[in-house]
Amino acid sequence: MLESAAARYTQVRDATATPGELLLALYDGIFRFLNGAKACIEKKQRGRARELLSKAHAILSELIIALDHAAAAELCGNLARVYEFCMDRIVLASKTVDPLRVDEVLRVLTPLREAWRLAVPKATQEAYAAARGK
């Protein structure tokens, strides 16, 4: 019962989230999967670590696909290169089961995650104010 309520909440949240909120949720997912993979590597749970790394890789792949190069070519190009670097490191981490490769990805993505954490609420507030005519 509790699981179905949680699943319904998640569906409603995802259906009503702004693009910025979805982006933050994706970044949170990447970090959750990468940190989980590191913990699994330390516990010698290689299969589970690889599964979590694969999930982080899939999110990064989707982020690359979602980039709108027509809207901001230089920014999107830079983000694509960062995401591709991270994906390469995740593949290497999966092959070598090396937590240092996971740390590299976390170190590279942390500033982006923090920037989005600041930018998304600000953009939401500005859009709300503009919609209200202020």
Side-chain angles (χ1 to χ4, degrees):
M1 176 75 164
L2 185 57
E3 285 184 30
S4 70
R8 281 194 304 268
Y9 169 79
T10 300
Q11 287 176 335
V12 169
R13 182 197 64 207
D14 292 348
T16 60
T18 66
E21 291 167 338
L22 291 174
L23 177 67
L24 289 175
L26 290 172
Y27 268 86
D28 288 345
I30 292 169
F31 277 75
R32 186 175 60 253
F33 294 138
L34 291 174
N35 286 315
K38 271 185 62 176
C40 289
I41 290 169
E42 291 167 6
K43 295 176 189 173
K44 308 290 188 216
Q45 299 172 344
R46 294 172 184 248
R48 178 69 176 145
R50 287 186 176 112
E51 178 183 330
L52 294 171
L53 289 169
S54 176
K55 290 180 179 191
H57 189 279
I59 292 173
L60 286 164
S61 178
E62 290 299 321
L63 287 174
I64 288 175
I65 292 168
L67 292 172
D68 184 358
H69 292 269
E74 185 178 353
L75 174 63
C76 290
N78 291 336
L79 283 172
R81 284 187 289 283
V82 169
Y83 294 156
E84 289 165 357
F85 170 83
C86 291
M87 291 169 63
D88 288 343
R89 288 296 180 248
I90 288 171
V91 169
L92 188 57
S94 186
K95 286 180 182 177
T96 62
V97 194
D98 184 354
L100 295 177
R101 301 296 172 231
V102 178
D103 285 336
E104 286 180 301
V105 177
L106 291 167
R107 191 171 41 256
V108 167
L109 291 179
T110 294
L112 285 172
R113 182 188 197 194
E114 294 310 312
W116 289 120
R117 278 196 196 283
L118 295 173
V120 167
K122 183 177 179 184
T124 302
Q125 288 173 345
E126 290 172 358
Y128 179 72
R132 293 190 64 199
K134 291 186 177 179

